[in-house]
Amino acid sequence: MSTPPSSDRISSSPPSPVALTLRRRERDERRRREEQYSHGRPLPSQKLCGNEECVLRCCNVFKTSRFYLPDYLLGDKERSVDDILVKDIQTHFAYLAATRIWPSIEKQSDVLLKAQSIEAFAASPPVRAAYLDFRYLCQKNDLNFSIESRLRETLSVTMPRFRSLIETLDTARLDDDYTELVVHRTLQPPHQADKAVQTDRPLPWTQEGCVMRFLLTSELWRCHDERYMRQRGWAWKPWIVAELLSAVLLHYWLLDREKCFERVPCRGSEQCDEVWQDWLDKYPLLGGDSSHDDEEDDEPDQGDSKKSPDLVPKPIGLIKGLDLDKDVGYVGGVGTAARGPLWRDMRQKHGDDGLPQH
Ligand SMILES: [Zn+2]
Ligand SMILES: [Zn+2]
Ligand SMILES: [Zn+2]
């Protein structure tokens, strides 16, 4: 117990009301976190590389305590610089991604479910953090990503490399040491390959390195989310993963350019809890919630309600006055950087306009 810093406090005869309140608040916070874990927030102890002992910051992205507390959080503004609702842009992106990357789904309800899932993933706290990290790394290493074509070029160079990285990780799934090595090599600053000239000082990041780090961080979180929380039986072939994640990065970059984000200094882990709660409320788990047992909860469980009114995103045509692909070019965020947007491919393939009619 520390002594009170100033004399204007009454000497404590425990338990003071303040101490009681604090204790109660701590207990409530702990309970709330437990509840969040059971609904899709990753456990702070989970490491991206899979090694439970790993203390690297790049692997401990789910931790919010002390050393691992992020400096900033990435929040959405209400509207873009063009006065478009940011949440509509997110929905539009997710819908386009769902329909362009999996064009063969026919049932509209399946499309909407998929779009909802993509939106949840793209807007999730770990992806936001990965983007902030990406931007910071680029700035720190004087990498100029202010030109859209430059980012697209880098994405198109990186995508095949990323695809083979996913394949490598798939193959190495049972080899923990190798997985860890590969993950660390991608997430950590590059080092001199030649041992003779090796110094403690890492090499500067390259553009491709920054993109790879974003893609892999997001992918490891996506796999985690899929494995533990959201049973999405989609065809996650490596090229689909690479397409989607590249699209997400480009999408974030475009949102950034259109002034859709605000960077908020992080005050403490409670604020991170807040951010996770918002996300869990907005994107509740789809399907059965039988993965946990709420019987220990001695209070009614607010979080289990699955009747969120915003669960199903509005299809494109229903978002009034919104024509992003035409007016702002957001649709460019979907598709392979190398080949251009996917819808262009589809148009060639089917001989018709791949886009919804306006
Ligand atoms: Zn690690
Ligand atoms: Zn619950
Ligand atoms: Zn449109």
Side-chain angles (χ1 to χ4, degrees):
M1 274 280 151
S2 57
T3 47
S6 60
S7 56
D8 57 4
R9 285 206 199 159
I10 309 149
S11 67
S12 55
S13 49
S16 76
V18 176
L20 267 181
T21 311
L22 276 177
R23 214 176 299 158
R24 202 172 301 138
R25 207 171 68 193
E26 252 167 47
R27 189 203 58 196
D28 289 347
E29 273 167 16
R30 204 173 44 238
R31 260 195 210 153
R32 183 156 84 138
R33 258 178 236 142
E34 293 300 327
E35 182 60 18
Q36 290 182 349
Y37 299 144
S38 69
H39 285 267
R41 177 177 179 177
L43 284 172
S45 55
Q46 303 271 358
K47 323 286 168 149
L48 290 189
C49 63
N51 179 352
E52 284 167 31
E53 316 274 294
C54 181
V55 292
L56 291 175
R57 205 177 164 127
C58 61
C59 289
N60 283 272
V61 290
F62 305 137
K63 266 211 172 112
T64 56
S65 55
R66 293 162 178 269
F67 172 69
Y68 298 103
L69 190 73
D71 294 330
Y72 292 97
L73 299 168
L74 189 75
D76 287 346
K77 286 190 184 150
E78 175 90 8
R79 287 168 182 279
S80 78
V81 75
D82 295 320
D83 208 33
I84 298 169
L85 281 172
V86 172
K87 69 175 173 50
D88 282 353
I89 299 175
Q90 301 281 24
T91 305
H92 195 97
F93 166 79
Y95 186 81
L96 284 172
T99 48
R100 301 303 168 245
I101 297 182
W102 289 268
S104 54
I105 320 173
E106 266 153 31
K107 242 170 81 189
Q108 185 68 2
S109 57
D110 288 349
V111 173
L112 294 180
L113 271 182
K114 192 156 270 191
Q116 157 74 15
S117 229
I118 290 173
E119 187 180 331
F121 169 73
S124 64
V127 175
R128 290 171 183 275
Y131 180 74
L132 266 185
D133 169 80
F134 169 79
R135 197 170 74 172
Y136 169 77
L137 266 192
C138 290
Q139 278 164 359
K140 201 175 140 206
N141 291 276
D142 288 325
L143 301 171
N144 187 0
F145 271 117
S146 59
I147 306 159
E148 186 179 339
S149 60
R150 172 114 24 117
L151 177 60
R152 282 181 181 278
E153 270 164 39
T154 308
L155 275 174
S156 71
V157 172
T158 313
M159 238 197 271
R161 276 184 55 208
F162 181 62
R163 235 165 18 219
S164 55
L165 180 71
I166 301 172
E167 277 155 15
T168 306
L169 287 173
D170 265 352
T171 324
R173 187 156 279 165
L174 297 172
D175 186 343
D176 294 347
D177 291 344
Y178 189 63
T179 300
E180 185 187 352
L181 183 89
V182 171
V183 171
H184 283 175
R185 206 163 49 199
T186 309
L187 297 187
Q188 281 191 285
H191 277 84
Q192 203 70 254
D194 184 358
K195 278 262 185 328
V197 277
Q198 198 162 39
T199 56
D200 278 346
R201 216 194 289 171
L203 295 168
W205 283 90
T206 61
Q207 295 189 329
E208 279 137 74
C210 294
V211 169
M212 282 291 265
R213 178 160 138 137
F214 172 89
L215 295 177
L216 184 60
T217 303
S218 311
E219 168 59 2
L220 293 170
W221 152 239
R222 189 195 64 77
C223 290
H224 177 281
D225 190 38
E226 191 187 27
R227 193 164 343 129
Y228 293 102
M229 283 304 160
R230 284 150 219 265
Q231 277 120 38
R232 302 171 188 144
W234 308 350
W236 282 116
K237 300 197 185 77
W239 72 265
I240 290 184
V241 172
E243 292 251 358
L244 179 68
L245 297 181
S246 304
V248 168
L249 178 54
L250 199 47
H251 171 63
Y252 264 80
W253 187 90
L254 290 163
L255 285 170
D256 204 1
R257 189 185 65 183
E258 305 297 324
K259 309 264 179 292
C260 299
F261 292 136
E262 53 190 357
R263 200 180 63 152
V264 190
C266 183
R267 293 187 310 267
S269 61
E270 297 82 23
Q271 201 182 354
C272 299
D273 296 346
E274 219 49 69
V275 167
W276 275 107
Q277 193 59 51
D278 287 348
W279 183 73
L280 294 171
D281 289 345
K282 199 165 167 205
Y283 305 105
L285 290 175
L286 304 172
D289 182 25
S290 55
S291 57
H292 74 295
D293 182 6
D294 273 344
E295 271 167 43
E296 292 147 53
D297 294 7
D298 50 18
E299 287 156 39
D301 188 349
Q302 306 281 319
D304 273 344
S305 128
K306 266 161 247 125
K307 43 190 188 306
S308 158
D310 292 318
L311 189 67
V312 175
K314 290 171 274 186
I316 282 171
L318 300 183
I319 302 172
K320 243 192 153 181
L322 194 70
D323 190 6
L324 296 175
D325 40 299
K326 219 153 129 198
D327 302 338
V328 198
Y330 280 107
V331 79
V334 181
T336 335
R339 295 193 321 241
L342 278 178
W343 53 265
R344 205 170 285 153
D345 277 11
M346 298 199 359
R347 189 182 297 179
Q348 283 160 4
K349 227 176 280 166
H350 303 300
D352 59 11
D353 193 337
L355 284 170
Q357 298 305 307
H358 296 292

